[in-house]
């Protein structure tokens, strides 16, 4: 069911694919609202009579999941404010991409990066591009525009009042941090799913399906009479949504949960349960239910909405929304595999450190008492 054209092997992390399948730039924010349909436009239907969602799409965006209060406390921006922000971002990215001085010390590079406008806009880039061994921004394709929904330019994907997740119920499991696997080296099974090339990082596949904020935020949607398949570029995941089915009755938990869908008018509605613990969303998984809505709202946009609910974690359902934009190309192979150099190197390094620690401990241990007298 997948139609993937393989042009070349990407690197182990697949970053080359971002350059091959870049999202369509689209019009400047100040001059057009792409999610508003032109007069007389009607959502297309496919050969099965379903709302036509098929094609190649991207959810790359400058809008983060949660609102960056250092930039704005408002939920929405005007078109002029959005364009000014996007220009500021483009300038900050160009500054970061400028050729570096080969004589500049690592300390000086990191000091300059820590004070850059880029980090003011995207503080998370400190981990991605500002450290030895991290990506520099040449490899990063986070998008060029803010999320625009019905003419409003959003400062967060979440639609809560403050653009942040709601408070958790007392006694709810704590949400796992992004560094939860950093210092766990006992086995490859303890490493993250993304590092093991099992499923992408940042919830690209979901549910909920979210842009990871860095690169490879591309998709292909395929529709048949009894299923919808979403091919996710990172890490070549194929999410299968059964139409008009029922949820499984056992406790088997597929990587992307158990998704069933139905069409309501011009919208594909998807409900997912049975999400595995390794794919928990902000600490919720066992009783988590995710509902998603895919609606073709204009010739060039699909509106994606999601709602998460878990009565043991939050008092009420909550969620967010964004729009998919078309690709100018197609989805290529993301050549990530579990045999890449990084994973054996991480585990081998940990075993070496353990040997060094054991040897140092043996060298400093006091000699054992001799038996009997001299």
């Amino acid at each position: 069911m997948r139609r993937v054209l393989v042009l070349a092997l990407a690197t182990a992390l697949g970053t080359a694919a971002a350059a091959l399948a870049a999202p369509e730039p689209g019009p400047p924010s100040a001059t057009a609202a792409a999610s508003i349909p032109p007069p007389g436009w009607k959502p297309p239907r496919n050969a099965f009579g379903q709302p036509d969602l098929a094609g190649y799409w991207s959810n790359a965006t400058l809008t983060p999941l949660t609102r960056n209060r250092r930039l704005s406390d408002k939920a929405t921006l005007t078109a002029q404010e959005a364009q000014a922000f996007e220009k500021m971002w483009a300038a900050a990215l160009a500054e970061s991409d400028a050729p570096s001085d080969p004589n500049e010390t690592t300390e000086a590079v990191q000091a300059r990066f820590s004070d850059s406008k880029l980090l003011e806009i995207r503080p998370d880039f400190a981990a991605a591009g500002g450290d030895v061994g991290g990506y520099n921004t040449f490899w990063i394709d986070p998008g060029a525009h803010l999320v625009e929904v019905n003419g409003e330019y959003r400062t967060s994907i979440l639609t809560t009042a403050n653009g942040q997740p709601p408070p958790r119920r007392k006694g709810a499991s704590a949400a796992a941090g992004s560094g939860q696997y950093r210092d766990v080296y006992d086995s490859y099974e303890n490493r993250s799913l993304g590092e093991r090339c099992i499923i992408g990082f940042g919830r690209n596949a979901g549910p909920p399906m979210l842009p990871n904020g860095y690169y490879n935020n591309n998709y292909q949607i395929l529709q048949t009479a009894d299923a919808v398949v979403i091919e996710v570029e990172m890490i070549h995941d194929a999410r299968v949504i059964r139409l008009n089915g029922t949820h499984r009755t056992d406790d088997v938990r597929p990587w992307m949960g158990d998704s069933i869908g139905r069409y309501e008018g011009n919208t594909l509605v998807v409900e997912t349960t049975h999400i595995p613990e390794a794919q928990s969303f902000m600490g919720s998984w066992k009783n988590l239910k995710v509902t998603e809505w895919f609606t073709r709202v204009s010739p060039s946009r699909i509106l994606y909405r999601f709602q998460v609910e878990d009565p043991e974690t939050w008092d009420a359902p909550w969620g967010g929304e964004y729009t998919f934009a078309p690709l100018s190309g197609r989805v290529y192979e993301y050549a990530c595999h579990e045999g890449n150099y990084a994973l054996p190197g991480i585990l081998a390094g940990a075993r070496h450190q353990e040997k060094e620690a054991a040897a140092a401990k043996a060298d400093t241990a006091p000699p054992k008492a001799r038996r009997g007298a001299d």
Side-chain angles (χ1 to χ4, degrees):
M1 299 177 74
R2 297 172 53 190
R3 293 178 291 166
V4 182
L5 176 63
V6 179
L7 291 186
L9 287 177
T11 62
L13 288 172
T15 51
L20 295 173
E24 184 180 81
S29 293
T31 60
S35 71
I36 297 179
W41 180 83
K42 294 183 179 180
R45 297 272 168 166
N46 61 20
F48 304 107
Q50 305 161 341
D52 192 356
L53 305 171
Y56 299 97
W57 304 92
S58 172
N59 62 4
T61 177
L62 296 182
T63 300
L65 178 64
T66 58
R67 191 169 305 144
N68 182 350
R69 297 172 187 165
R70 294 193 300 175
L71 295 175
S72 177
D73 284 330
K74 300 190 298 182
T76 63
L77 301 177
T78 65
Q80 291 72 26
E81 289 172 329
Q83 187 180 53
F85 177 85
E86 290 167 1
K87 285 183 176 179
M88 180 175 65
W89 166 259
L93 195 63
E95 179 185 10
S96 179
D97 284 343
S100 56
D101 182 353
N103 297 317
E104 194 172 19
T105 65
T106 299
E107 291 75 14
V109 171
Q110 291 179 334
R112 178 163 45 81
F113 187 74
S114 64
D115 292 332
S116 68
K117 193 69 176 177
L118 192 73
L119 285 196
E120 182 181 348
I121 301 172
R122 289 288 303 272
D124 55 307
F125 273 22
D131 202 357
V132 174
Y135 289 162
N136 55 34
T137 50
F138 171 83
W139 295 103
I140 294 175
D141 177 29
H145 299 294
L146 293 171
V147 163
E148 177 263 310
V149 178
N150 198 29
E152 295 182 338
Y153 299 89
R154 304 294 179 82
T155 58
S156 67
I157 289 175
L158 295 189
T159 52
T160 55
N162 61 358
Q164 308 296 323
R168 306 172 72 78
R169 291 178 59 90
K170 186 177 180 179
S173 301
S178 59
Q180 60 180 311
Y181 303 102
R182 185 176 297 274
D183 296 315
V184 182
Y185 310 109
D186 292 342
S187 165
Y188 65 90
E189 292 185 329
N190 298 126
R191 304 305 299 169
S192 70
L193 298 182
E195 191 175 280
R196 295 167 60 194
C197 298
I198 292 177
I199 199 168
F201 71 85
R203 301 199 76 84
N204 280 91
M209 296 166 56
L210 301 174
N212 64 47
Y214 294 95
Y215 45 63
N216 300 105
N217 292 289
N218 301 323
Y219 302 81
Q220 180 183 9
I221 298 178
L222 299 166
Q223 295 170 268
T224 72
D226 54 7
V228 175
V229 179
I230 302 177
E231 183 197 356
V232 187
E233 181 179 20
M234 183 187 288
I235 299 174
H236 49 254
D237 297 314
R239 182 182 176 197
V240 180
I241 299 163
R242 307 186 317 280
L243 294 177
N244 304 314
T246 57
H247 282 299
R248 59 191 315 142
T249 57
D250 55 25
D251 197 39
V252 173
R253 295 175 178 267
W255 286 123
M256 290 166 277
D258 180 49
S259 295
I260 57 174
R262 64 185 183 277
Y263 291 104
E264 295 183 356
N266 293 321
T267 300
L268 169 65
V269 184
V270 180
E271 182 180 282
T272 304
T273 60
H274 290 69
I275 294 170
E277 184 175 10
Q279 276 287 87
S280 65
F281 181 66
M282 297 188 179
S284 171
W285 64 278
K286 191 170 186 179
N287 300 302
L288 176 63
K289 182 172 80 169
V290 181
T291 306
E292 301 160 286
W293 295 266
F294 298 76
T295 307
R296 187 78 171 265
V297 293
S298 78
S300 63
R301 293 294 185 271
I302 292 176
L303 175 63
Y304 172 80
R305 295 181 293 132
F306 71 90
Q307 175 182 279
V308 296
E309 52 186 302
D310 179 352
E312 294 186 1
T313 304
W314 301 286
D315 287 332
W318 57 281
E321 62 183 8
Y322 62 79
T323 50
F324 281 98
L327 291 179
S328 57
R330 58 186 304 166
V331 176
Y332 295 90
E333 180 189 23
Y334 186 101
C336 183
H337 59 91
E338 199 170 353
N340 62 49
Y341 291 108
L343 190 59
I346 288 170
L347 298 179
R351 302 293 81 79
H352 182 72
Q353 285 184 330
E354 290 167 356
K355 290 180 180 179
E356 286 183 331
K361 185 177 181 181
D363 289 343
T364 58
K368 293 182 179 179
R370 297 178 181 175
R371 292 184 179 179
D374 289 335

